[in-house]
Amino acid sequence: MRLSLIAALALGLATPAHADWEATLAAARGQTVYWNAWGGDQRTNDFITWVGAQTALLYGVKVQQVKLTDTAEAVTRVISEKAAGQTTGGAVDLIWINGPNFLSMKSQGLLHGPFVADLPNSRYLDLAPAAAASVDFTVPVEGMESPWRLARFVFTYDSARLPEPPRSMAALAEWAAAHPGRFTHPAVSNFMGATFLKQALIELAPDAGVLQAPVTDAAFEAATAPLWEWYDGLRPNLWQGGATYPESQSIQQQMLNDGAVDISLSFDPASAAAAIEQGLLPVTARVFTPALGSIGNISFVAIPFNAASREGAMVVANFLLAPATQAHQQNITVLGSFSVLDPARLGPDEAAAFAALPTSPALPTLADLGLTLLEPHASWMVRLTEAWAERYTR
């Protein structure tokens, strides 16, 4: 980590944007923030370690990642603490959270906040009511969680083996029929597998607009009928005939690298470029999105209502929004995740840091990614994964 970036962070964050921020910094000093975050991606784990090193240096706030296989583990822990009457000193200080888990925590009063407007670096965000940073799977954020990285669903492929990838769900099924065993998706119990189903549902549903409202029995039956017909045709042509699935995106990426399949999935447009840098994919790896567009959202962090290190968690959330942090995060040699900041709110030096980032033939531009499709309401994901399991695992 270059001293110039550390200095930039210190200078950029030492001046409070709000009257009480200095009090928050003082209360946070000496705290350890237990950040509960999915631990299935080593680049993300390394980035969180770097964050902890920087916040410890600048603010005396340590970060300890609690690696999760499912975010619901942290949610369940907070629910249990509330049921036991533990209103302070909770074990979870910060959660990487989205969608159904955010809806569950918000509706049950399990979150601290609103707090986002109190973060000095929130000035770099577009927080208009309809902006991406203000809505999570159609649920208004209302300051109860803070953005930290941009996500877009993409397919990863080896252009040396697959010069023209299929760019619709119908075309994917046709390609799989002509190349049996060369495609699969992560288990639907995994977020990436569920996202693949949601992407297909948006494309195949007779009226995708109904997905923006809470699910009903009638709407679910009508919207998913074409999906199940399509999947029934796809499944026999999946790797191992759809009898088993890779546990995660990282395992499927390894399968792509090993030549076991020709296509993988990711929720990070820079993942292929970053993997090439690490020697985890061939230099011919590329990403594509369906012609219709692909699901996009923002990853958030939230603070439980009873967090033991609430102030430290706010300091970490604010650090994640610093332009220097976001630029470091977007570097494909580090993490590669696109920034959540509004470019129009950046100063010339801050914008220059992004312009100077390394590029790669495997790194798409935002224009290359096409239209961003809205996530369905969180209730659809729950219902969809349950129905898939009922149909295909029993």
Side-chain angles (χ1 to χ4, degrees):
M1 185 57 199
R2 299 191 306 272
L3 180 60
S4 58
L5 180 53
I6 295 176
L9 287 167
L11 290 172
L13 297 180
T15 302
H18 301 272
D20 59 351
W21 187 247
E22 288 290 351
T24 298
L25 291 175
R29 185 164 293 277
Q31 292 183 348
T32 297
V33 174
Y34 288 89
W35 183 355
N36 285 238
W38 176 65
D41 177 61
Q42 190 56 47
R43 291 179 305 138
T44 301
N45 297 340
D46 292 343
F47 177 74
I48 292 174
T49 298
W50 175 83
V51 167
Q54 301 310 307
T55 57
L57 177 66
L58 296 170
Y59 308 111
V61 176
K62 297 180 180 179
V63 175
Q64 178 66 54
Q65 182 184 0
V66 179
K67 297 178 181 177
L68 307 175
T69 56
D70 189 328
T71 305
E73 298 168 24
V75 177
T76 300
R77 189 172 298 122
V78 178
I79 290 173
S80 298
E81 289 176 349
K82 185 176 183 180
Q86 187 175 352
T87 58
T88 61
V92 181
D93 296 308
L94 195 66
I95 307 179
W96 174 9
I97 195 170
N98 279 92
N101 289 305
F102 171 66
L103 175 62
S104 175
M105 294 195 75
K106 185 184 179 190
S107 62
Q108 296 182 68
L110 299 175
L111 296 175
H112 165 65
F115 72 92
V116 175
D118 296 328
L119 306 179
N121 286 326
S122 66
R123 67 186 183 272
Y124 296 110
L125 297 171
D126 180 358
L127 294 176
S134 298
V135 181
D136 187 355
F137 286 55
T138 78
V139 178
V141 170
E142 299 177 327
M144 305 299 284
E145 57 179 357
S146 179
W148 74 290
R149 61 192 283 187
L150 190 67
R152 280 290 298 274
F153 178 71
V154 296
F155 291 87
T156 306
Y157 70 107
D158 185 349
S159 61
R161 299 200 303 262
L162 182 59
E164 293 294 332
R167 299 197 62 202
S168 71
M169 290 301 173
L172 176 63
E174 293 174 359
W175 179 86
H179 304 84
R182 303 301 300 172
F183 176 72
T184 187
H185 60 81
V188 172
S189 58
N190 178 275
F191 175 77
M192 189 56 60
T195 300
F196 172 68
L197 278 190
K198 288 187 293 181
Q199 176 73 35
L201 178 62
I202 292 172
E203 185 169 332
L204 298 171
D207 177 12
V210 303
L211 306 179
Q212 294 302 299
V215 68
T216 65
D217 290 345
F220 187 80
E221 182 176 354
T224 59
L227 172 71
W228 303 134
E229 181 180 358
W230 169 83
Y231 194 84
D232 286 344
L234 173 69
R235 189 183 184 210
N237 299 311
L238 295 177
W239 174 72
Q240 296 192 354
T244 187
Y245 302 86
E247 294 181 2
S248 66
Q249 176 268 336
S250 58
I251 292 176
Q252 187 170 349
Q253 178 181 280
Q254 183 62 52
M255 294 171 65
L256 174 63
N257 188 55
D258 293 343
V261 296
D262 294 325
I263 301 174
S264 185
L265 313 174
S266 178
F267 221 136
D268 180 359
S271 59
I276 290 171
E277 286 283 332
Q278 294 179 302
L280 300 177
L281 281 178
V283 296
T284 48
R286 298 291 184 270
V287 300
F288 74 93
T289 56
L292 179 69
S294 70
I295 292 174
N297 66 37
I298 281 179
S299 288
F300 294 88
V301 290
I303 304 171
F305 79 103
N306 63 345
S309 299
R310 178 183 300 174
E311 295 86 1
M314 292 178 64
V315 169
V316 173
N318 188 64
F319 177 84
L320 291 171
L321 293 175
T325 303
Q326 289 280 307
H328 181 69
Q329 171 184 279
Q330 190 169 312
N331 190 323
I332 59 173
T333 66
V334 177
L335 185 56
S337 292
F338 284 32
S339 172
V340 297
L341 305 183
D342 181 357
R345 298 170 187 261
L346 299 176
D349 291 342
E350 295 160 343
F354 286 93
L357 292 174
T359 188
S360 163
L363 182 67
T365 65
L366 289 176
D368 292 334
L369 296 175
L371 184 66
T372 300
L373 303 180
L374 296 176
E375 283 274 10
H377 186 273
S379 59
W380 281 87
M381 179 170 162
V382 175
R383 185 74 176 269
L384 190 64
T385 55
E386 289 176 348
W388 184 91
E390 179 71 25
R391 294 176 67 96
Y392 300 109
T393 63
R394 297 186 180 183

